[in-house]
Amino acid sequence: MSSNNHNHNHLTSSYFDSTSEYNSNGTARILIASMRGFHAEAYRSAEFEFEDAICEFDSADVLAPVLNSNFTNKVYKPLANYLAVKTARKEWLQSGCMTSRVEQEYDLFFFICQHYWDITCINSIKGWREKCRQAVLWIDEIWVKELSNPKTRVCLELLKEFDYIFTTQKASAKAISDLIHRPCYSIPYAVDALQFCPVTTEVQRSIDIYSIGRRSPIVHQSLLEFSKQQNLLYLHDTLKGLQMNNYKEHRKLYSDLIKRSRYFIANKAKFDTPEQTGGQEELGSRFFEGAAGGAVMIGIPPNCEAFSEYFDWEDVVIPIAYDTNNLGDIICELNTQPERLHKIRQNNIVNTLLRNDWVYRWEKILEKVGLDLTPKMVSRKAYLYDLAQLQKN
């Protein structure tokens, strides 16, 4: 297979950066609304990766609204949103985006939201519903507990214009469907397996332990002491708040670091904020990324159906408690079992290639809306299968 078929710097149809509003070559069947022109937080990188993957193996245009920074908007936006929430008028909600307009017709409008407030951006996009035969919204994080909030509820009223809603949080899907009377389904994260998966399980792993994002302070302190005693490289966040200069560079560096890590810390979504989750346990992106890179994952797995379905192989994560203070002992014990570690890495990579690439998620969405797979999707699935067989051998 030609390497050109998997060049991640190439997008199938028109793509434009955050300085643009909208561009089209007139041939795409999918219109993706992206928040990349409005937000640059590192935690959004998985969503931007999904959007680029769709452009890679389908025919899509990207609309990326940008911030309206003029003084009038700064004054008008908070007032409009206050009145919208108080009066439950969804059409008054303002995201602060510049107005854009859809001129071309599409088979499908697809909008990825990280947070429920992102949905308000839809009010700045004119003509999207009239020009798109079907519309799907994919919302990353929304907790059942949040649905009782008046601000959340008025935002979700905007979802009534979509034909289908997907969310990464399975327990939230039914609650959303009951609230807005639209079909809502759970669909988990995935990963660009072609970028994250190493060519071989024998890649040199010079990072001993890698932890990114939320962490238990007890586990973190344990790892700091262990890495100092053993002279190990424990890579972790030292800054608060991360804005990406370039999403692609960030994602590439992140995948390279995981591929070179022996152990990777992965925990259930928002494991340290029960006041927000209300005890709801969900599957976050860390497990997909850690498994794809062939790292041995250690952490707090969620007790939920999605985890059991998508991570059902042996030793997918070495479970620990929030207050584990002897993680060094656990790692030392694992280090005495090289055959087990090799099997863990192999299973993680193979299962990612066969089950958890973005193409499998997009296939489910297309199946729901009744659109055919593209030849590039079929080609990508075949290539992923071939890579998985190579890893097995």
Side-chain angles (χ1 to χ4, degrees), residues 114 170 258:
Q114 198 282 330
K170 192 173 183 67
I258 296 177

Side-chain angles (χ1 to χ4, degrees), residues 217-235:
I218 300 171
V219 170
H220 177 57
Q221 187 61 39
S222 173
L223 288 174
L224 286 175
E225 294 172 3
F226 174 63
S227 61
K228 183 177 181 180
Q229 293 168 1
Q230 300 292 322
N231 194 28
L232 302 178
L233 175 54
Y234 169 39
L235 184 60

Side-chain angles (χ1 to χ4, degrees), residues 4-48:
N4 291 335
N5 290 338
H6 302 283
N7 180 352
H8 296 276
N9 293 320
H10 171 72
L11 299 182
T12 300
S13 47
S14 60
Y15 172 77
F16 43 94
D17 61 27
S18 60
T19 62
S20 304
E21 285 186 0
Y22 178 56
N23 186 27
S24 172
N25 61 17
T27 62
R29 66 172 186 165
I30 312 295
L31 176 60
I32 299 171
S34 172
M35 298 302 294
R36 66 181 62 203
F38 197 64
H39 294 289
E41 298 90 350
Y43 57 76
R44 293 179 181 267
S45 64
E47 297 151 23
F48 300 160

Side-chain angles (χ1 to χ4, degrees), residues 169-210:
Q169 299 180 300
K170 192 173 183 67
S172 301
K174 184 179 185 303
I176 294 172
S177 184
D178 291 344
L179 179 64
I180 66 172
H181 307 295
R182 302 299 299 156
C184 183
Y185 305 95
S186 65
I187 185 170
Y189 274 103
V191 72
D192 183 345
L194 298 179
Q195 174 166 292
F196 272 76
C197 291
V199 175
T200 171
T201 55
E202 304 306 319
V203 65
Q204 183 178 354
R205 295 182 179 271
S206 52
I207 300 170
D208 295 292
I209 308 156
Y210 184 22

Side-chain angles (χ1 to χ4, degrees), residues 8 41 66 83 290 310 369:
H8 296 276
E41 298 90 350
V66 296
L83 293 174
Y310 290 91
V369 301

Side-chain angles (χ1 to χ4, degrees), residues 125-367:
I125 303 173
K126 307 304 179 184
W128 69 273
R129 183 67 272 195
E130 295 82 2
K131 293 293 185 179
C132 302
R133 295 180 184 87
Q134 296 191 81
V136 167
L137 182 134
W138 187 87
I139 183 166
D140 172 10
E141 183 180 316
I142 185 163
W143 304 92
V144 172
K145 184 180 178 182
E146 293 177 317
L147 300 182
S148 60
N149 185 301
K151 185 176 179 180
T152 309
R153 293 173 77 94
V154 70
C155 284
L156 293 188
E157 284 293 306
L158 293 168
L159 270 58
K160 292 182 177 180
E161 296 188 63
F162 288 83
D163 298 293
Y164 300 96
I165 297 97
F166 293 88
T167 176
T168 60
Q169 299 180 300
K170 192 173 183 67
S172 301
K174 184 179 185 303
I176 294 172
S177 184
D178 291 344
L179 179 64
I180 66 172
H181 307 295
R182 302 299 299 156
C184 183
Y185 305 95
S186 65
I187 185 170
Y189 274 103
V191 72
D192 183 345
L194 298 179
Q195 174 166 292
F196 272 76
C197 291
V199 175
T200 171
T201 55
E202 304 306 319
V203 65
Q204 183 178 354
R205 295 182 179 271
S206 52
I207 300 170
D208 295 292
I209 308 156
Y210 184 22
S211 174
I212 187 171
R214 296 175 181 274
R215 64 196 179 206
S216 160
I218 300 171
V219 170
H220 177 57
Q221 187 61 39
S222 173
L223 288 174
L224 286 175
E225 294 172 3
F226 174 63
S227 61
K228 183 177 181 180
Q229 293 168 1
Q230 300 292 322
N231 194 28
L232 302 178
L233 175 54
Y234 169 39
L235 184 60
H236 57 87
D237 294 335
T238 57
L239 301 176
K240 185 176 181 180
L242 293 173
Q243 293 279 319
M244 298 177 290
N245 289 322
N246 181 298
Y247 130 71
K248 288 180 180 294
E249 291 178 1
H250 168 77
R251 201 69 177 169
K252 176 64 166 58
L253 176 60
Y254 178 41
S255 65
D256 285 345
L257 291 173
I258 296 177
K259 283 186 282 193
R260 287 158 179 80
S261 299
R262 297 169 61 213
Y263 296 100
F264 182 72
I265 308 300
N267 296 304
K268 61 186 178 182
K270 292 289 178 71
F271 74 102
D272 58 345
T273 57
E275 69 281 0
Q276 180 181 1
T277 66
Q280 180 179 340
E281 297 198 15
E282 296 288 353
L283 175 57
S285 63
R286 293 286 178 266
F287 296 97
F288 295 96
E289 296 156 352
V296 175
M297 294 190 288
I298 302 175
I300 307 170
N303 180 18
C304 66
E305 184 179 338
F307 183 79
S308 300
E309 179 179 354
Y310 290 91
F311 293 93
D312 58 356
W313 56 94
E314 186 178 6
D315 281 341
V316 65
V317 60
I318 308 300
I320 60 173
Y322 181 86
D323 58 355
T324 295
N325 59 9
N326 66 331
L327 190 48
D329 294 338
I330 296 173
I331 291 175
C332 286
E333 175 63 24
L334 288 168
N335 287 340
T336 66
Q337 307 171 65
E339 291 184 5
R340 180 186 180 190
L341 295 180
H342 174 79
K343 190 63 176 178
I344 290 173
R345 300 188 198 287
Q346 185 181 60
N347 283 341
N348 284 353
I349 296 169
V350 168
N351 279 284
T352 298
L353 290 166
L354 295 178
R355 303 164 63 179
N356 289 330
D357 181 75
W358 287 119
V359 73
Y360 305 118
R361 306 296 183 261
W362 188 237
E363 181 180 18
K364 284 185 175 293
I365 292 172
L366 293 184
E367 179 181 319

